[in-house]
Amino acid sequence: MATLAGKLPFRPGGAAVALWPAWIIVLCAYLGTMVWTVAVSLTPSKLVPVMQFAGTHQYERLFKTARWMTSVENMLVFGALFIAASMVLGTLMAIALDRKIAAEGVVRTIWLYPYSLSFIVTGVVWQWMMNPSLGIQKSVNAMGWENFRFDWVTDPDRALYAVVLAAVWQSAGLVMALMLAGLRGIDEDLWKAIRVDGIPVWRGYVSIILPVLRPVMVTAVVLLGIAVVKSYDLVVAMTNGGPGMATDVPAKFIMDFLFVRANVGFASGAATVMLVAVAAAIAPWIYAVYLRKR
Amino acid sequence: MKDFPHASEGAAIGIDGLGIRFGHHDVISDLSLDILPGEFLVLLGPSGCGKSTLLNAVAGLIDVHAGTISISGRDVTRAEPKDRGIGMVFQSYALYPRMSVAQNMGFGLRVGGMAKAEIAERVQRTAKFLQLESLLGRRPADLSGGQRQRVAIGRALVRDAEVFLFDEPLSNLDAQLRADLRVEIKRLHQSLGSTMLYVTHDQVEAMTLADRIVVMKGGEIQQIGAPAEIYGRPANLFVAGFLGTPKMNFLEGDVAAESGRRMFRAEGLRLDVTGMLLDNPDFAGPATLGLRPEDLSPAGPGEEAPLAGEVTLTEPLGPETIVWAALGAGQVSLRMGAENFPAPGDRLHIRPDLARASLFDRATGRRL
Ligand SMILES: Nc1ncnc2c1ncn2[C@@H]1O[C@H](COP(=O)(O)OP(=O)(O)OP(=O)(O)O)[C@@H](O)[C@H]1O
Ligand SMILES: [Mg+2]
């Protein structure tokens, strides 16, 4: 042990000291604010926090609020479609590059480029493109197809899908980059074995290669899932939650009640529900990927 | 190991005028080789000499730009790997990581549309043959290196292949396991009787396994022959130096006729090599005399000893000892017994066994 410690480039004690600032930030900024939010959610606070116990009053109110239930439902639909579409599209693109079907340099840049934009920019761009009086619909109409309609953002039944479309455009490139890195790491001999065994390429991907990349896929899904829970900027930029409540999401709901409607206790209750839901959803994954041996 | 129940006869492989090119770089050009049915042929050579490339071409994993490959008399130059009746085993095992041992062996058959019962039976038989029965439910990650390689062999075996291709299958294993598996592969060949093409850069593997060895260098075949022939009568200086540890001793000098006798002359050395059987008996000129360490022995008292020098180093290996001595014409090694070997600094008189020596033309490197 003594010789091992002697070989390390730093003393173990020094490393612990160096990590202190990080620990302070984690404890105060993350855990502290979490605890504070949960505490406030148990009070009748309105504009300013008042420390007075009110039990589960805010939670009872929350689940009777139609707008909250709609926003949760929207988030689930949005999340399911967004994650599924981004994963499928990103994986297919990665495979296309891996198979050298597409010219890598160009395609990789084009597909990864959207990810470097902020959701606000994406939202504004797509809002313009999908705005019936400005964007795609207008151009196609002008080219002579008078009956062409592409008015998803203004249609309450379709607006959510418009947001999904923009979000997928933004994030599929990330999945592609992650999956491509994974595919590049696959042992060449594995592909040779697959060919000698007479297994078709698509079957090789589905049954052998993609299962190997499961940790990469889990990482991608977690990253996309975090984007779903945080989905606020894209919605605000594209539809501002409308038309009506068609694209409202919990994050926007919480922000509204925090800063616009001045109802801190109520918003904290909603935030706490989100926290618990996310923790419950991610815990099994964290367990599977990081904690379980092998 | 018992005889494998569904073994198929080995197939002949014919390689004719083969050319393989990566971009503008010819890795193999105009290579021809005939492999007999049921033969164990080892491709031996230094890294980058094109062994794997040749094996992959036989497997159909890379495109050939010239020449033909036939298996069992059928031209398979353009055939898909699965249609060539081959099984292949890789250095990295290349097992399907997320599948159990049984699935690893059966998946190819399942995709090929074979009935479930038949697959199960084949997998069972193969597992029994390779003593993998207790491991059928495990994942590759839960196996040792040796077990993984046995599974990889099993995956080739269930396919009922007529030809087995091995690409350095033992290189990732430690020395002990390597020796064990080497014996297993030899038994496998004996009980299957299939044709085996085996790539290695380990000369012990090549010597112990092969019916014939093909020594390659720079994409070209240097010599083809039985292990004893390759070792005893190397065709050129490269082959002579590549096989054997310690290396063959080379003494540089020239060959000249002197009053009807053929003499090899080097610094401080005159050897009568008239008795050596040469392909080119009339040769005269610069030459290299090659002597294996076991073909040099210390001369007893009174015996004639044309070589003399001083011992510089001894390496006791257990069953034998390697003794290094400095002669006027260079450094040589001798293989001696475990006991009674000289100490560094001793003067040593050495007697070469010229009947087993090799002479090479120094200009071309070819055996005389
Ligand atoms: N895909 C490829 N593209 C370009 N050059 C290649 C490719 N594969 C192999 N080569 C070249 O072909 C030559 C022979 O390679 P090969 O893999 O057959 O060597 P090898 O004898 O198997 O060596 P090793 O013992 O290291 O496995 C090398 O010079 C290598 O650089
Ligand atoms: Mg190789």
Side-chain angles (χ1 to χ4, degrees):
Chain A
M1 270 321 285
T3 53
L4 178 68
K7 278 181 194 151
L8 292 175
F10 53 84
R11 283 182 306 118
V17 171
L19 280 174
W20 257 110
W23 276 114
I24 291 172
I25 291 172
V26 168
L27 289 174
C28 299
Y30 292 133
L31 287 178
T33 47
M34 259 187 231
V35 170
W36 192 83
T37 305
V38 174
V40 170
S41 76
L42 300 172
T43 70
S45 309
K46 287 281 183 190
L47 179 58
V48 286
V50 285
M51 283 304 160
Q52 178 194 344
F53 188 66
T56 57
H57 166 73
Q58 302 286 20
Y59 295 94
E60 284 157 29
R61 244 184 86 202
L62 185 63
F63 282 97
K64 283 186 204 135
T65 307
R67 188 181 156 200
W68 169 253
M69 298 312 279
T70 308
S71 69
V72 169
E73 202 178 292
N74 284 345
M75 186 187 71
L76 293 178
V77 173
F78 169 77
L81 292 176
F82 164 66
I83 294 179
S86 299
M87 288 303 293
V88 170
L89 209 62
T91 304
L92 287 177
M93 290 186 312
I95 289 176
L97 289 187
D98 189 44
R99 285 277 119 193
K100 302 192 171 60
I101 293 171
E104 179 161 353
V106 182
V107 174
R108 201 173 45 184
T109 312
I110 292 178
W111 279 103
L112 210 47
Y113 187 66
Y115 193 70
S116 68
L117 301 178
S118 84
F119 264 125
I120 291 283
V121 177
T122 305
V124 170
V125 169
W126 280 87
Q127 200 257 324
W128 285 339
M129 290 211 302
M130 297 210 242
N131 185 326
S133 52
L134 287 175
I136 298 173
Q137 178 176 331
K138 181 138 194 283
S139 331
V140 176
N141 288 354
M143 280 190 286
W145 287 279
E146 299 285 344
N147 295 325
F148 179 81
R149 286 283 166 273
F150 189 56
D151 51 2
W152 288 12
V153 251
T154 54
D155 179 345
D157 292 334
R158 299 228 172 93
L160 192 59
Y161 303 128
V163 180
V164 170
L165 188 64
V168 170
W169 176 81
Q170 159 115 8
S171 297
L174 171 73
V175 178
M176 179 200 74
L178 286 172
M179 292 301 287
L180 186 60
L183 289 173
R184 287 283 148 80
I186 295 287
D187 178 12
E188 239 183 275
D189 284 351
L190 197 52
W191 276 114
K192 289 184 187 167
I194 288 169
R195 276 188 73 190
V196 169
D197 248 354
I199 297 165
V201 171
W202 69 268
R203 195 70 201 267
Y205 275 111
V206 171
S207 302
I208 295 163
I209 304 295
L210 292 182
V212 177
L213 296 186
R214 202 174 61 177
V216 178
M217 294 166 87
V218 170
T219 305
V221 168
V222 169
L223 288 178
L224 296 176
I226 291 170
V228 170
V229 177
K230 290 200 305 190
S231 54
Y232 170 76
D233 33 14
L234 181 64
V235 169
V236 168
M238 264 184 88
T239 60
N240 203 21
M245 294 189 286
T247 56
D248 208 356
V249 285
K252 181 161 190 313
F253 179 95
I254 293 166
M255 295 300 271
D256 279 358
F257 277 88
L258 261 183
F259 297 115
V260 183
R261 305 246 196 130
N263 202 334
V264 178
F266 192 55
S268 298
T272 306
V273 169
M274 290 303 293
L275 177 68
V276 171
V278 169
I282 289 189
W285 265 330
I286 292 189
Y287 175 74
V289 177
Y290 297 106
L291 300 182
R292 199 182 50 178
K293 284 187 195 139
R294 282 201 321 272
Chain B
M1 253 187 245
K2 295 186 296 301
D3 276 338
F4 193 60
H6 55 91
S8 49
E9 283 301 293
I13 305 174
I15 299 169
D16 190 30
L18 189 71
I20 294 166
R21 182 176 281 177
F22 291 118
H24 293 292
H25 175 55
D26 276 307
V27 174
I28 288 176
S29 46
D30 198 23
L31 183 147
S32 298
L33 177 64
D34 279 307
I35 304 168
L36 307 173
E39 186 173 30
F40 200 123
L41 193 89
V42 172
L43 299 176
L44 179 68
S47 191
C49 72
K51 308 180 294 287
S52 300
T53 304
L54 179 56
L55 197 75
N56 287 335
V58 173
L61 293 169
I62 50 176
D63 289 335
V64 162
H65 93 89
T68 58
I69 297 171
S70 65
I71 296 178
S72 276
R74 193 167 59 92
D75 184 349
V76 294
T77 314
R78 306 262 169 264
E80 273 296 301
K82 68 173 164 65
D83 302 324
R84 295 185 178 208
I86 55 160
M88 195 160 177
V89 177
F90 303 89
Q91 176 175 354
S92 62
Y93 321 123
L95 297 177
Y96 308 141
R98 290 271 161 193
M99 295 188 183
S100 70
V101 168
Q103 287 169 323
N104 258 283
M105 293 201 268
F107 188 65
L109 302 179
R110 209 180 91 204
V111 170
M114 186 182 281
K116 273 213 172 106
E118 159 113 42
I119 296 174
E121 195 196 315
R122 281 198 190 200
V123 168
Q124 203 62 43
R125 265 188 304 190
T126 309
K128 194 168 170 200
F129 181 66
L130 293 170
Q131 288 145 35
L132 289 169
E133 283 162 301
S134 58
L135 307 177
L136 281 176
R138 293 218 205 151
R139 292 259 180 91
D142 303 332
L143 302 175
S144 71
Q147 291 168 334
R148 282 181 212 182
Q149 203 49 292
R150 289 225 298 278
V151 176
I153 292 171
R155 184 172 61 185
L157 217 54
V158 286
R159 295 174 52 75
D160 254 357
E162 301 172 302
V163 174
F164 282 81
L165 306 173
F166 295 88
D167 195 350
E168 309 204 23
L170 307 183
S171 296
N172 281 4
L173 303 174
D174 64 51
Q176 182 59 48
L177 255 177
R178 202 185 295 188
D180 292 349
L181 248 96
R182 204 170 64 211
V183 173
E184 270 189 52
I185 289 177
K186 188 152 190 169
R187 286 215 200 104
L188 183 74
H189 178 243
Q190 281 169 355
S191 53
L192 289 181
S194 17
T195 309
M196 295 194 174
L197 192 51
Y198 187 107
V199 165
T200 183
H201 58 244
D202 181 320
Q203 41 173 301
V204 179
E205 269 171 40
M207 297 295 288
T208 52
L209 289 172
D211 292 326
R212 280 195 302 163
I213 295 176
V214 176
V215 183
M216 291 178 67
K217 179 192 159 198
E220 282 171 14
I221 294 179
Q222 302 292 309
Q223 188 174 4
I224 308 178
E229 186 188 340
I230 301 261
Y231 186 79
R233 295 181 58 80
N236 56 38
L237 277 170
F238 172 78
V239 176
F242 190 72
L243 271 104
T245 22
K247 271 172 69 162
M248 182 183 264
N249 299 301
F250 292 126
L251 301 178
E252 302 203 336
D254 57 30
V255 169
E258 284 181 16
S259 56
R261 312 292 297 169
R262 191 191 310 125
M263 301 301 288
F264 176 79
R265 304 178 302 199
E267 198 185 323
L269 175 70
R270 284 169 60 82
L271 282 175
D272 185 341
V273 292
T274 317
M276 282 179 72
L277 276 176
L278 299 187
D279 297 336
N280 188 359
D282 302 325
F283 178 86
T288 300
L289 180 67
L291 288 159
R292 296 270 178 210
E294 58 271 25
D295 298 334
L296 294 176
S297 49
E303 271 182 312
E304 190 199 339
L307 304 177
E310 185 179 319
V311 175
T312 54
L313 187 75
T314 59
E315 298 178 283
L317 298 176
E320 63 185 23
T321 305
I322 307 299
V323 175
W324 293 86
L327 308 185
Q331 182 97 338
V332 297
S333 59
L334 290 79
R335 211 182 284 277
M336 292 176 64
E339 287 161 27
N340 296 330
F341 52 86
D346 288 359
R347 183 111 191 121
L348 193 62
H349 292 273
I350 302 167
R351 212 160 38 86
D353 182 352
L354 288 179
R356 298 165 56 93
S358 302
L359 257 182
F360 303 95
D361 178 345
R362 195 128 49 92
T364 62
R366 279 205 213 99
R367 182 183 190 85
L368 292 175

